[in-house]
Amino acid sequence: MSYSDKVIDHYNNPRNVGSMDKSSADVGTGLVGAPECGDVMKLQIKVNRETNVIEEAKFKTFGCGSAIASSSLATEWVKGKTVDEALTIKNMDIVKELSLPPVKIHCSVLAEDAIRAAIGDWKKKQEATKPVAVEAR
Amino acid sequence: MAQPLTMIGAKPAPQETQSCWSCGTMRAVHFCEACGKVQPPAPVDYFAFFGLPRKLNLDAAALEKDFYQLSRKLHPDLNSQAGTQEQEWSLQQSSLLNDAHRILKDPIKRTQYLVKLEGVELEEQSKTATEQARSSGEAKKQIVPPDLLEEVFELNVQLEELRMQKKIGEDDPALIEEIGRQKLELEGKRDALLHELQGHWKMWDGMIQREQNGQPVSEEERKYLRDKMVDVLNRRNYIRNLVRDVSEVLEN
């Protein structure tokens, strides 16, 4: 099996590798794993409270080239989107963009999971920090 | 091969009772008991191919013996005098025999294969759970416990640090010691998982035995034991990778 040029590009020059302060109220963290291969992926987003736009995204993935490329691409895609827009990203979009073969589809699933988990974590924090505003709506 | 020879999700295959294409006697799965002619491959699972019940503890020596006996009888070279059709079947049967042997002789592969026969597509679990989360809008339930993921992630961070240090020719003895300690812990976990799995094999085999004795086995019990094994297999993949990576970093 050979990797597509796009996978190799993301693998050699991964975008947005790193981490942000997990305890910050504006940061959502998603840590997910793929039991099929034992890969783990952490994806973090920093969201603007006023606009709900994802201003920053960071990732760290321990896994194969496809998993790294999928998460790298995911951080690129979520940046600048609102959280609701980011939730529309589907694993098959990543498969198409990176031309992943069927045996590597679970890597794209992992990236979608990571986005959802990060947004879920952020939403939970918002509810916890702004209980009055949520009730008033 | 033109058609899949394993019937996924099927109930345990009944004894093959078709008659021999050549002499008409009731035949076995691979070749006719009466006239010895090779038969067309029957759609049976690997357990049934060896005439075994779907039990997870199996007699490894008996499996090897059967394998070599069947290999000889089904070998395409030994059937070179036979007709073209029979030769073709012998080729297909040989290939099926090799696949069945490779899977059944390895206890983990055997377990993975069994849960697949029992309806769990290990490769599809994540995707299915994600699709559910997507349509319900709820958080996806991670297949392994979150604290295992934390642990895997943290250890990988340490391993990466150690790799970097080694690259620039520096070793932090404290870090090496810490990773060495974790390696022992992981090996302990790996052994404990195998032990856990062996316990499930015993339960499963007991259930199959009751079924063979004609006692009713509930669908719930079957699924419960199956899912217990799936759970161990999933956690095992992470631990297996970690043991491999930790050993690699420490040895280099």
Side-chain angles (χ1 to χ4, degrees):
Chain A
M1 189 198 69
S2 62
Y3 286 125
S4 70
D5 289 346
K6 278 182 181 161
V7 170
I8 291 168
D9 179 39
H10 276 281
Y11 181 75
N12 288 331
N13 309 292
R15 332 292 198 255
N16 311 309
V17 174
S19 66
M20 291 184 276
D21 180 11
K22 210 178 151 178
S23 59
S24 163
D26 298 329
V27 172
T29 302
L31 176 62
V32 294
E36 294 89 345
C37 54
D39 289 356
V40 279
M41 182 182 290
K42 186 192 242 175
L43 193 145
Q44 292 183 299
I45 51 166
K46 191 177 176 196
V47 185
N48 184 314
R49 253 178 232 224
E50 307 301 321
T51 58
N52 280 358
V53 167
I54 299 171
E55 293 181 329
E56 192 64 62
K58 295 279 181 199
F59 86 95
K60 182 83 203 153
T61 293
F62 296 104
C64 67
S66 302
I68 290 167
S70 295
S71 36
S72 172
L73 179 67
T75 56
E76 272 196 327
W77 276 359
V78 297
K79 264 210 249 181
K81 285 194 168 73
T82 65
V83 287
D84 288 338
E85 285 166 354
L87 282 172
T88 63
I89 296 172
K90 306 232 184 337
N91 80 296
M92 287 313 284
D93 303 333
I94 296 170
V95 170
K96 252 184 234 157
E97 176 68 18
L98 297 175
S99 318
L100 296 179
V103 291
K104 290 293 179 184
I105 285 178
H106 63 254
C107 302
S108 67
V109 171
L110 201 55
E112 183 187 332
D113 287 351
I115 296 173
R116 288 177 177 281
I119 291 174
D121 182 52
W122 175 80
K123 280 189 175 166
K124 213 190 269 172
K125 278 184 181 172
Q126 304 318 299
E127 280 163 25
T129 52
K130 288 200 282 183
V132 182
V134 170
E135 271 170 38
R137 240 186 269 168
Chain B
M1 240 167 277
Q3 60 179 50
L5 292 164
T6 49
M7 289 175 20
I8 305 303
K11 285 271 163 208
Q15 279 306 106
E16 197 57 53
T17 50
Q18 276 169 276
S19 48
C20 171
W21 60 271
S22 176
C23 73
T25 312
M26 291 303 188
R27 68 173 173 87
V29 175
H30 336 90
F31 51 87
C32 178
E33 299 284 2
C35 70
K37 296 258 190 211
V38 175
Q39 303 294 310
V44 296
D45 64 65
Y46 295 158
F47 289 95
F49 187 88
F50 275 102
L52 293 167
R54 273 189 199 179
K55 287 184 181 173
L56 288 163
N57 281 299
L58 59 75
D59 183 343
L63 180 73
E64 288 306 294
K65 202 173 142 226
D66 281 355
F67 172 66
Y68 285 112
Q69 266 181 7
L70 283 170
S71 294
R72 277 200 298 275
K73 288 190 180 168
L74 293 171
H75 200 287
D77 289 353
L78 288 180
N79 293 291
S80 57
Q81 300 303 313
T84 326
Q85 181 64 83
E86 213 184 330
Q87 275 182 52
E88 175 63 26
W89 287 334
S90 123
L91 194 65
Q92 289 175 5
Q93 291 273 26
S94 283
S95 146
L96 189 54
L97 172 70
N98 287 328
D99 290 344
H101 175 245
R102 186 172 48 83
I103 297 295
L104 291 188
K105 74 174 177 186
D106 180 313
I108 298 297
K109 290 203 177 97
R110 191 192 305 152
T111 312
Q112 289 168 334
Y113 179 71
L114 178 98
V115 299
K116 194 174 174 182
L117 284 180
E118 295 289 332
V120 176
E121 292 283 351
L122 290 170
E123 296 297 316
E124 299 289 326
Q125 302 174 84
S126 248
K127 200 166 135 245
T128 310
T130 296
E131 278 160 4
Q132 276 169 7
R134 199 191 281 157
S135 57
S136 70
E138 278 165 26
K140 172 179 168 176
K141 196 179 165 292
Q142 281 293 306
I143 287 167
V144 297
D147 53 335
L148 175 61
L149 288 181
E150 283 293 344
E151 194 189 329
V152 173
F153 193 86
E154 287 313 317
L155 185 54
N156 268 303
V157 170
Q158 289 181 322
L159 286 178
E160 194 175 62
E161 201 180 318
L162 189 57
R163 276 196 203 105
M164 299 276 256
Q165 286 181 0
K166 290 197 165 184
K167 221 183 222 172
I168 56 168
E170 265 178 38
D171 272 355
D172 176 357
L175 183 60
I176 293 178
E177 199 187 311
E178 163 67 11
I179 292 177
R181 193 186 58 73
Q182 299 223 31
K183 184 184 174 219
L184 288 178
E185 211 172 281
L186 282 170
E187 285 168 346
K189 276 189 187 159
R190 183 193 55 194
D191 296 346
L193 279 176
L194 183 62
H195 192 75
E196 194 182 335
L197 194 57
Q198 284 166 338
H200 298 321
W201 290 344
K202 210 173 159 192
M203 302 280 285
W204 176 268
D205 290 358
M207 182 194 75
I208 297 293
Q209 187 58 53
R210 277 188 279 125
E211 194 175 47
Q212 281 184 316
N213 294 345
Q215 291 168 33
V217 167
S218 74
E219 208 49 34
E220 286 78 38
E221 181 183 3
R222 210 178 176 94
K223 285 209 175 100
Y224 174 80
L225 290 175
R226 176 196 73 185
D227 291 346
K228 284 272 178 200
M229 293 190 276
V230 169
D231 176 50
V232 177
L233 290 173
N234 283 333
R235 282 181 286 146
R236 190 182 165 280
N237 284 346
Y238 288 101
I239 304 290
R240 179 204 59 201
N241 284 6
L242 279 180
V243 171
R244 182 196 64 205
D245 295 346
V246 167
S247 307
E248 186 203 303
V249 174
L250 288 179
E251 279 157 25
N252 282 335

